[in-house]
Structures are given as structure tokens and as C-alpha cells.
Amino acid sequence: MTELLQQLLNGLSLGAIYALIALGYTLVYGVLRFINFAHSEVFMVGAFVGCYIGRLAGAVTWWSGLAALASAMLVCGVLGFVIEKIAYRPLRGAPVLNVLITAIGVSLFLQYGGQLVFGATPRTFPPLFPETRVSLGSLDISTNQLIVIVVTTVLLVGLQLIVKHTRIGTAMRAVALNPKAAQLVGVNTNTVFSFTFVLGSALAGAGGVLYAMNYPSIDPLMGVMPGLKAFVAAILGGIGSIPGAALGGLILGAAETLVGGSAFSTYKDAIAFGLLILILLVRPAGLLGRATVEKV
Amino acid sequence: MTSPACRLLPFLAVITLLAGCGPKDASAPATIKIGNMASTTGKDATYGQSSTRATRLAIDEINAAGGVLGRQVELIFEDTQSKPGETATVAKKLITRDHVVALIGEIISSRSLEAAGVAQALKIPMLTPTATNPAVTATGDYIFRACFIDPFQGSVLAKFARQDLGSKRAAVLTSISSSYSTGLSQVFREQFTAAGGEIVADQKFAEGDKDFKAQLTAIRSANPDVIFIPAYYTEVALIAKQVRELGITVPMLGGDGWEAPELIQIAGTAVEGCYYSTHFSASSTDPKIVDFITRYRARYDGQTPDCMAALGYDGVYMMVDAIRRAGIAEPLKIKEALAATKGFEGVTGRIDMDANRNASKPATILKIEGGKFLYLKTVAP
Amino acid sequence: MSRQHAALLAALAASIAVSAFGGSINAYFLDVAMTAGIAIVMAVSLNLINGHTGLFSLGHAGFMAIGAYLSAAVTLFVGPHLVGPSPSVITTQFIFLAALITGGLTAAFAGFIIGLPSLRLKGDYLALVTLGFGEIVRVVFQNIPALGGALGLNGIPPLTTFAWIYGSVAVTVFTISCLVNSTYGRGWLATRDNEIAARSIGLNTTRYKITAFAIGAFFAGVAGGLFAHLRMTIDPRGFDFSRSIEIILMVILGGMGNTLGVILAAILLTLLPEILRPVAEYRMVLYSLLLIVLMLVRPQGLLNVRFGKQSKV
């Protein structure tokens, strides 16, 4: 029983990271209607920025850790803006397949470019926050894991606030529902698109730092698997739905951890894709999504 | 209407014939060409760079001393980029384009296997300095290695765990993505059980995994007194941290894949008091080793050579020694000379080539203490 | 006989002729040429799925893996069991043929299975499912000890010759070209151009999509078998997402749906790594830049040369 609870606790922290990355995917897909393959590389860049700032900081305090987190989010936000401007905006209106391929191109460019710039061997991620182990009875959790859960919750709540209670958030929801109609009522779709990208990328950056905090070995290809799994989580919860992304992330994190501790641990990676196929066959809209009908 | 593609096809075949034909190169080159394959980029770059630094040092020393058989030795290097599938092409290129008489490489078991097939088919002797999986030399009689094989390493570690650490309940965490790991793991489990111990947990993970808490929680419940992790340092470092994070205090044990300064950099205090087997110890007082370390440091900015470097160095010297004994730089004669290697004194110990073309030589066990790799003992075969 | 059949026979004859001269061709060059041939088969088969039918499959390497493993299993395990340890040359060739076809059929079956969920999925979702499929295949093979597990399979007999590869190239191109240019093939093009319109005139687009997957997968499986018997060893990690990406790049560069363009692109993208070997680190960076620039500037492909009048559906 204790083992099961410990596994679930581990799954919670892993799931929180997937949720954070999934939020970025779901935002972009909801508003722009395509899978941003480059999202996983923005995640990776966030980790590297965090690494760099962490090394600069020298001392390990709460403030330095927060500074690393904030700078990663800032840099990734800018990166997202640049990618959207250069690679995606010119293709507005092109067939979805073309944009998808471009996204894959950007993703590969960042991966292999990263290998050129940072080298392919994994490097050590410095500790950002003072770390201790906390025991809750016979369960163990580290403060890093707790920070992941707390930060994810804060960002999640913040995101909901932005989307539900600000003008730009309303604009985002309008564009997600019907871009043409939104334009007709005066929404500047370009601004909304850019803002969505910046927001999603900032979240990916935060995810990168939190991930690297817990698994302190980073390399330019580190984003591929977590990115894919996070996208599965987004679909699982219902693409376009923010609570859905969170839920999907948690479920995936738990499932993966439980499988990882069982006899089938080496099939861990396959679990995410198995779940994906299952949900797409059974309920393509996802758990919390709305089914859309394609109108001709 | 015939598709243009269909019409192209017959011409493609003929073009290949015409373009590829050429006279066979018959002249004897002025230098003796040896091919060297290693992964200096990609995920195994650390190992590859270490190995190639040493091979270059060795070649330069040999050439400065006059070369072999009156000719200079030319080492033609190709990067395998840590990619599966790339090594076979590289080997073919080295053999048929560059006309090497022998190959040194690759450094990782799975890629060495790829190259071995090619080398054996094209009858060029190949010496891998560091691949430890037995299947590599089993490919054929042209394939040799300069290091011990995993069955030996595994039984050394199993004995060490039982006798020196007094362990009775071992947990094993294997990487199913690497033939090195699965091979070593299997031998350890067999030998440990044969010596009277019990394997209380047998968990697995895949390459690229970052989170091992699930497997480690299961291991924790089994209450082992040692954890055996036959994997490469990148994963071992993360595993070790998580082992300590879960409150497991027992020592961890591993193989030569652990050897890299990054292990201590990433894992920090998590690997204190842990042990692993390797081919060579940089803190040894043996004059031959000290001399090698001094020359390596002088050339490469004070960096200390690790086992990959030491074995790479020995590999080159072994090959050149074989060429000298063969009396002629011809693949067949070199192969026979390699097979007859006896009493070769390298920096990694005394090397005798056994009947399976594996090196019979001792293993070194190191302990991690005070943030350093310390020499513990040597185990002879 | 028709011109297509004549072209096919000429190609087969040329392949066998060239192979007979195999000894005087530089082995490295031959290796590159054979690798190019395998790439052509992979690219043309993917072109059927992505280019002619308009689906977006990102897991083509998975079909190749299935073909590679199954065909190797036939030559390594089943063959000796059936005909004993030293079969004659002719028998070996037949076993090889059987191995290739087994690999192809198993891959086709897998393609059929993947085709089923494609019924309900649009562009990007399908892409993800196929990507996931590719990964699952890799994970599964890594976990089967009988097929070598992490080590992969080695000691596969080197039965692939130039004749086999170019013979397969000829058959693949011939089959797919003829199918696409036939009445049946119009169904694929219709599905690509406007699925709803195609449906509304009574075409069973579901069936077309599934057959596209199955046929594409079959040839990818054959390519996998040829690959396994060329390299003599297969590593499960060699069939990952980046392998699928290389093939996709060939299809896009050649122009989706343009068989000749795709063949040229496949040859080019096999030669390029060899030419770029001195700057191998930059290769993937250049490839990705190429992808981006292509999509921005000329999405219809760079090498889509068209001879004569090609009717646009």
C-alpha cells in the first residue's frame, strides 16, 4: 500500500510537468489549430537558460531559483514570438500539412542546432533551490518535487485568470471559437496569435526548468519525449481545454509511474502512445473536450 | 502513358555501373593506413573524444619513434556520430575508399557489432579497444578486442559483492536499450545467485528515461543491501540521485560504463561509498601508468585519462605491435599476429589474446570516496 | 506488351546485368548505391500514403522495422529449419524472396491496423498516431529477447545484392505508378483533393485510405528486409523518428505525389550525407533549414520535374 502511495506521489510530480507543457500545446492548438512541434524544443531551451542562470547565480537561494525560473520564461516567451513571426505567420492560410512540416523543421533545427551550440553530451543542471527531503510518514518527497507541484498550480490558476477575466483572454477564446467572426468584431488576430504563442512558450520554459530541477541532466534532445507525451496528455484531457490539459497530464504521469514500477516497466514509453490511440478511438474529443462537427 | 519514373529505371542501373567502375588500386602506399572509428559527436561523445585523444597520442608517439616496418603510420579517423547504421557505412568507406589494412574501433558494443560484420566480410582485422559484449568477437576470426568481456566483468562484480561487501540481497536495475547493460546484468545475476546470494529485485529501464522513482520504489520495498546498476554514467548519475532521494542508503555497484568525471559532477554525494569495475586506475603507482598519465596530461591541458583513453592507447600499441610481428602490413598476416598476442604489457595491464580473440587481463575495482575515484583492488582472471 | 511492362523488364534485366559486374565496382560506392535504392523504395511507398492519398504518416520507419525483423527471422530461424544448414544457391534465393515477402506482408498487416483509426482522424491527429505507432514498434522489438532485444539481430546473411535492390525498386515504382494512374488510383487522388466531395459522389474513402496504408507499408517492409540483409545487423534504435523524418524530407523535396521527383530526391538525400561527411555535424541542421525554407518558399517540392502533360485531378 505504501508503495502504491509513493508511486502515486511520484506520478503527481511527473504529471505536473506534463501538465505544464501540455498547457502550451493546448493553448496554441485551441487558438491556432495546429500542433506546434517546436514546443518541445522551447521546453529544452528553457532548461538551458535555467542552467545558465543557475550557474551565474552562484549561491542557491529561493530568490536565485525564482530568478532562473523567471528568466527562462522570459527568454522562451521571446523565442516563441520569434518562431511564430518567422516560420508560422507567412504560412497563415496554407494547408495545415505545410504548417505541420514547417513546425517539424523548426523543431529539428532547434534540436540539432542546440547540439552544435551546446554539444550533444548531457550537462549537469545546477541546483536552483535549497533542497531537502520531506517525509510524510513512510512516504518521501523532495522539495524540488513539491516546488514543481506548487509552481504548476500557480501557473495553472494564473492562466485560467488570464483566459477568463482579461480582455486578451476573451479575445483568445473568441479566436478559438471562430477566427473570422472574431476579426469582424474588431479583434486583431495577429496580436492574439502572438500573445498565445508567447504565453504557451513561457509555460514551456517554466516546464523545462522544473523538469531539469528534478532530472538534472540536460541535453539538446531532451525535449522530444516529454513533448510528445505532453501532447498526448493534452489530447487525453481534451485539446483546447485548460483544465483538460492539467487532468491529462496528471493521468499520464500516474499511468506512466505505475507501469514503470511494475513488471512492464520497459513499456513505459509505449503507454503514452497506447493511451493516445485508445482515446482517439473511443473519445476523440478527449475527457473534458467538446466534440466538434466539421461543417462543409 | 508510361510514368516518367518507370522510364528512368533501366538507366539508373546502368549509370551506377558506369560510375562505380574503376581500376583497382594496386600501388603500395608510403604510409601504413589504419582506420579508427569512434563517436566523437552525439550522445556517446564523451567516450569517443576520450578514446580518440589517446589514439592520436599513441600514433604520434609511434611515428616520432620511427613508425613501424620503416614506414609511418597514418590513422584515418571517422566519426560514427553515436548513430546506429552509420558505423557500417563508415567501416566500408575506410576499407574500400581509404584502403586501410586494419581497423581500430568502435568503442561501444552495439556499434562494434555493426562494424564487425563488415570487417569480417571484407577480411580486414578489427580491434575494438573498449566494447565488452562477447557477441562482438563471436562474429568471426578477424575481430579482436583489447579489453575483458562482460562475462568476466560480471563475475568479478558478483564475487566482489558477495565476498567483499558481504551482500546477500542484491537489487538489479538494467537498461534494456543497451546490449552492454543487458549482458552484464545477466552474468551478474547468474554469478551472484551461484555464489549463494539472492536477487531480490530485478527492475528495468529504457534509454532516455529520466525518472526512475517507480522502479526504485519497487526496489526499496524489496529491501536490498546493494543495488547493481550496469549502465552508462549519464543514467547512473540520475539513478543514484533518486536512490538517495527515496531514502535508500545502501551502496551501489556498477561496471566500466560508470567511468566519467561527470558521474560525480551530476550525482554529487549520491555516489559516495559506491564501487565499480574498470580497466585501469589513474591513481595507480605503477610507473608505466604514471608515465602515460604524465604524457597525456602534458598534451591535453592537464586532463586525466580515463579507461576509454587508456584502452584506446593500448589498442593502438597492440595493433602496431602485431604489424611489427607480422613483418608485413597485410590484413591476413596482421590478423594472425593479433591472434598470437601474448604477454603484451599495456597501461591497462598484461594482455594475452585468448582463443576467442578476447583479451585475458585483470579488472580494477574503484571506490568513490571524497568526490574522487580511488583505487581499491585488482582482480586477476 | 505495354510500354510500362517493357520498362519494368528492361529495368530488371539491367539490375541483374549490373550485379553480375558487382566485383569490379568499388564496394563503398556500391554500398551507397544500394542504400539509395532502399531509400527510393521507402520514399516511393511513403509517397503513396502522404503524396497521392494526402494522409500524413510520420511512422514509416515502423513498417521498415517490422519488415526488417520479420524477414531476418525467416532467414535466420525458419529457413534453416525448413531446408537444413547448407542449401543451394537457388534455394537461398527463394528463401530470401519468401523472407522479403513475409516482411512486406506483416508490415502491410500493420498498415491495415493503423489504417483503421485513420478513419476518424484528421491531418495532425493522424500524424501523431502514426508517430506513436512508430515508437511503439521500436519499444516492442526492444523488449523481445527472441529477436535480440536491445542487441538487435545480427549475423543476418548478406543476401542483398544490387540486383535484388534495383529489382525491388523497379517493381515498387512500376506497381505504384500503375496503380496511381489507373481508375482505382483516381480514388486516392480524389481522397486527397477533397474528401467530402469524393464521399458525396459515392467513393469509399475509408477503403482507399486503408489500402494506401497497406500497400505503402508492404513496400516499406520489403525495403526493411533488404536493409537487414545488407547491413547484416539491425538495431531497434535505427528505426526511430529521425529515420521517418529523412523519408518524409525526400517526399517533400520531390514534391508530394510526384514519383519521379521523389526518386530523384531519395537519391540526392542519400548522396548528400556522403558528400557532407566532412561537415557531418551540420547535416541535420541543414536538413531542417531546408524543410523550413521549402515550406515557406516552394511547398510543391524542388525536384518535381514534369515531363509532358500531367493531368491535374
Side-chain angles (χ1 to χ4, degrees):
Chain A
M1 190 57 195
T2 329
E3 188 181 329
L4 183 64
L5 283 178
Q6 179 72 60
Q7 300 282 34
L8 283 176
L9 202 55
N10 299 335
L12 188 65
S13 117
L14 183 64
I17 297 180
Y18 285 154
L20 211 51
I21 310 173
L23 282 174
Y25 274 122
T26 214
L27 270 182
V28 168
Y29 193 86
V31 174
L32 285 109
R33 289 272 176 282
F34 84 99
I35 306 175
N36 180 14
F37 268 99
H39 197 61
S40 38
E41 273 54 59
V42 174
F43 162 86
M44 176 267 293
V45 169
F48 273 89
V49 170
C51 177
Y52 186 64
I53 302 287
R55 292 251 172 88
L56 267 186
V60 180
T61 64
W62 290 97
W63 288 116
S64 65
L66 279 174
L69 193 61
S71 5
M73 288 177 76
L74 190 66
V75 171
C76 290
V78 170
L79 180 64
F81 180 79
V82 168
I83 294 177
E84 198 265 330
K85 202 87 197 271
I86 298 182
Y88 301 150
R89 190 170 296 189
L91 290 172
R92 205 73 66 67
V96 167
L97 244 48
N98 290 19
V99 193
L100 246 153
I101 294 170
T102 314
I104 294 179
V106 175
S107 167
L108 290 174
F109 178 70
L110 287 173
Q111 277 175 34
Y112 291 101
Q115 280 198 329
L116 275 183
V117 171
F118 300 119
T121 29
R123 57 170 75 184
T124 325
F125 191 83
L128 288 182
F129 297 97
E131 187 182 348
T132 39
R133 238 182 58 238
V134 174
S135 290
L136 312 161
S138 50
L139 301 175
D140 285 281
I141 190 168
S142 79
T143 42
N144 276 345
Q145 282 177 300
L146 280 173
I147 293 176
V148 168
I149 299 175
V150 166
V151 171
T152 309
T153 319
V154 166
L155 288 175
L156 197 65
V157 169
L159 193 64
Q160 271 291 61
L161 283 175
I162 293 182
V163 169
K164 286 267 156 64
H165 297 287
T166 62
R167 282 188 60 143
I168 187 85
T170 319
M172 278 168 67
R173 280 183 288 142
V175 173
L177 265 179
N178 191 328
K180 290 224 162 59
Q183 266 184 319
L184 285 174
V185 298
V187 171
N188 184 338
T189 43
N190 279 345
T191 317
V192 171
F193 288 160
S194 294
F195 182 76
T196 311
F197 251 92
V198 169
L199 205 55
S201 303
L203 289 171
V209 172
L210 293 174
Y211 187 85
M213 261 169 55
N214 277 306
Y215 313 115
S217 166
I218 59 175
D219 66 275
L221 296 177
M222 67 184 274
V224 178
M225 265 318 197
L228 274 177
K229 292 182 185 168
F231 191 72
V232 172
I235 296 186
L236 186 60
I239 196 110
S241 154
I242 292 172
L247 182 64
L250 288 175
I251 295 180
L252 190 62
E256 213 182 283
T257 316
L258 287 174
V259 168
S262 75
F264 297 102
S265 58
T266 46
Y267 287 92
K268 216 165 56 159
D269 279 353
I271 278 294
F273 298 110
L275 270 178
L276 174 71
I277 295 181
L278 196 66
I279 200 81
L280 285 177
L281 287 178
V282 168
R283 198 187 146 89
L287 294 171
L288 298 181
R290 271 169 299 126
T292 46
V293 178
E294 191 182 347
K295 292 226 179 85
V296 186
Chain B
M1 192 204 86
T2 323
S3 153
C6 278
R7 282 183 272 161
L8 172 66
L9 290 176
F11 297 104
L12 264 184
V14 180
I15 292 173
T16 315
L17 173 65
L18 294 175
C21 266
K24 282 229 168 62
D25 195 23
S27 56
T31 59
I32 297 181
K33 296 190 182 168
I34 303 182
N36 185 210
M37 310 173 285
S39 48
T40 47
T41 57
K43 64 176 173 57
D44 295 318
T46 313
Y47 296 133
Q49 285 167 10
S50 186
S51 177
T52 38
R53 280 198 288 266
T55 50
R56 261 183 279 130
L57 176 66
I59 286 287
D60 289 346
E61 284 175 3
I62 292 171
N63 281 337
V68 68
L69 300 180
R71 286 143 75 184
Q72 296 276 287
V73 184
E74 191 186 339
L75 196 67
I76 304 182
F77 174 74
E78 286 289 344
D79 178 14
T80 54
Q81 301 170 38
S82 309
K83 281 173 69 173
E86 193 62 17
T87 316
T89 315
V90 159
K92 278 205 186 138
K93 174 187 173 290
L94 284 170
I95 296 175
T96 57
R97 284 285 286 282
D98 302 308
H99 304 291
V100 298
V101 296
L103 284 172
I104 299 182
E106 221 256 0
I107 53 176
I108 298 288
S109 295
S110 48
R111 292 195 291 273
S112 299
L113 261 172
E114 238 186 88
V118 173
Q120 182 67 28
L122 292 172
K123 301 222 180 323
I124 297 285
M126 178 179 122
L127 176 71
T128 166
T130 47
T132 48
N133 191 296
V136 177
T137 41
T139 309
D141 61 345
Y142 273 85
I143 317 298
F144 302 83
R145 80 177 91 218
C147 55
F148 50 63
I149 51 177
D150 287 329
F152 173 63
Q153 195 178 186
S155 48
V156 164
L157 287 166
K159 263 199 213 93
F160 178 76
R162 282 289 294 143
Q163 291 165 3
D164 296 58
L165 297 180
S167 158
K168 296 191 197 54
R169 305 164 57 85
V172 181
L173 183 56
T174 316
S175 165
I176 54 124
S177 311
S178 116
S179 37
Y180 161 74
S181 186
T182 48
L184 195 51
S185 168
Q186 188 174 359
V187 177
F188 178 85
R189 277 177 283 133
E190 284 165 8
Q191 297 289 327
F192 190 76
T193 326
E198 190 194 341
I199 304 288
V200 299
D202 184 12
Q203 289 288 330
K204 303 184 176 45
F205 66 94
E207 187 181 358
D209 277 2
K210 292 279 175 68
D211 189 287
F212 309 93
K213 293 257 172 66
Q215 292 95 321
L216 292 172
T217 308
I219 286 181
R220 188 176 72 171
S221 308
N223 212 5
D225 51 28
V226 81
I227 307 181
F228 181 59
I229 314 172
Y232 296 114
Y233 74 90
T234 38
E235 299 144 336
V236 174
L238 290 177
I239 295 173
K241 280 193 65 115
Q242 292 173 20
V243 163
R244 300 295 178 232
E245 273 170 27
L246 282 176
I248 307 174
T249 50
V250 300
M252 292 173 274
L253 191 61
D256 60 335
W258 278 40
E259 181 143 312
E262 284 88 347
L263 179 70
I264 301 187
Q265 266 175 35
I266 301 179
T269 53
V271 282
E272 275 293 308
C274 296
Y275 308 85
Y276 70 95
S277 62
T278 180
H279 310 265
F280 145 94
S281 165
S283 54
S284 166
T285 47
D286 183 320
K288 200 173 161 90
I289 297 182
V290 172
D291 190 40
F292 164 64
I293 296 177
T294 317
R295 276 178 282 127
Y296 186 94
R297 280 200 180 128
R299 170 125 175 208
Y300 294 114
D301 297 323
Q303 288 181 57
T304 309
D306 59 10
C307 65
M308 299 303 260
L311 284 169
Y313 186 81
D314 276 351
V316 171
Y317 269 96
M318 269 177 81
M319 184 61 82
V320 168
D321 175 68
I323 296 177
R324 186 172 294 128
R325 280 182 285 119
I328 182 170
E330 242 172 54
L332 179 63
K333 293 281 184 284
I334 298 176
K335 158 195 139 179
E336 286 167 1
L338 273 174
T341 307
K342 283 269 178 295
F344 176 84
E345 295 287 348
V347 296
T348 54
R350 184 201 147 97
I351 302 175
D352 296 306
M353 199 62 81
D354 71 15
N356 293 321
R357 298 171 304 286
N358 299 316
S360 179
K361 58 200 284 215
T364 313
I365 302 204
L366 299 185
K367 178 176 182 181
I368 302 175
E369 210 173 288
K372 292 204 194 329
F373 298 107
L374 290 183
Y375 172 77
L376 194 65
K377 63 188 280 193
T378 309
V379 181
Chain C
M1 74 176 97
S2 69
R3 293 231 293 269
Q4 292 96 301
H5 288 102
L8 174 65
L9 284 176
L12 287 174
S15 318
I16 296 178
V18 170
S19 210
F21 285 102
S24 55
I25 302 181
N26 178 292
Y28 168 63
F29 187 84
L30 199 59
D31 186 69
V32 174
M34 292 204 277
T35 312
I38 294 177
I40 295 178
V41 176
M42 287 296 289
V44 170
S45 60
L46 183 62
N47 196 23
L48 177 64
I49 302 175
N50 283 18
H52 290 120
T53 315
L55 300 170
F56 196 25
S57 170
L58 286 181
H60 216 54
F63 298 131
M64 189 181 184
I66 293 176
Y69 269 98
L70 267 302
S71 64
V74 168
T75 43
L76 283 179
F77 308 130
V78 177
H81 194 68
L82 285 178
V83 298
S86 311
S88 69
V89 177
I90 302 284
T91 320
T92 320
Q93 299 299 310
F94 270 109
I95 293 184
F96 190 39
L97 182 65
L100 287 179
I101 294 189
T102 311
L105 285 176
T106 323
F109 181 67
F112 172 73
I113 301 284
I114 284 299
L116 287 179
S118 80
L119 301 181
R120 316 171 59 163
L121 300 175
K122 286 176 302 188
D124 21 16
Y125 280 10
L126 179 66
L128 217 63
V129 165
T130 51
L131 179 63
F133 162 75
E135 292 297 300
I136 291 180
V137 165
R138 183 183 55 80
V139 170
V140 166
F141 278 125
Q142 242 175 358
N143 276 292
I144 302 180
L147 286 178
L151 197 57
L153 277 177
N154 41 76
I156 306 175
L159 295 172
T160 306
T161 62
F162 188 82
W164 276 106
I165 291 196
Y166 272 94
S168 306
V169 168
V171 169
T172 310
V173 172
F174 171 77
T175 313
I176 292 187
S177 296
C178 287
L179 277 176
V180 171
N181 287 324
S182 69
T183 324
Y184 186 83
R186 291 289 192 244
W188 284 321
L189 301 174
T191 311
R192 173 190 70 188
D193 287 340
N194 193 327
E195 186 172 347
I196 296 180
R199 271 233 189 99
S200 61
I201 58 164
L203 281 179
N204 188 343
T205 54
T206 311
R207 192 191 307 160
Y208 281 106
K209 287 191 203 174
I210 294 184
T211 45
F213 260 112
I215 297 178
F218 174 81
F219 287 110
V222 170
L226 290 169
F227 177 79
H229 292 83
L230 175 65
R231 289 272 173 265
M232 296 179 280
T233 165
I234 44 181
D235 186 326
R237 286 169 299 182
F239 301 107
D240 60 1
F241 184 49
S242 52
R243 162 100 46 191
S244 293
I245 289 288
E246 281 172 21
I247 318 283
I248 290 177
L249 189 54
M250 291 173 199
V251 170
I252 294 175
L253 193 58
M256 311 238 276
N258 183 320
T259 311
L260 182 58
V262 166
I263 294 178
L264 294 176
I267 297 176
L268 180 65
L269 286 178
T270 309
L271 292 180
L272 218 50
E274 299 304 318
I275 301 173
L276 289 180
R277 197 165 277 285
V279 288
E281 306 182 298
Y282 296 89
R283 190 186 75 195
M284 280 313 281
V285 178
L286 287 174
Y287 276 14
S288 50
L289 272 177
L290 185 63
L291 254 182
I292 302 175
V293 168
L294 260 180
M295 281 298 114
L296 287 176
V297 167
R298 199 183 152 89
Q300 63 269 49
L302 211 53
L303 296 173
N304 52 347
V305 212
R306 285 173 191 265
F307 290 119
K309 237 176 14 157
Q310 284 250 305
S311 49
K312 247 191 82 150
V313 178

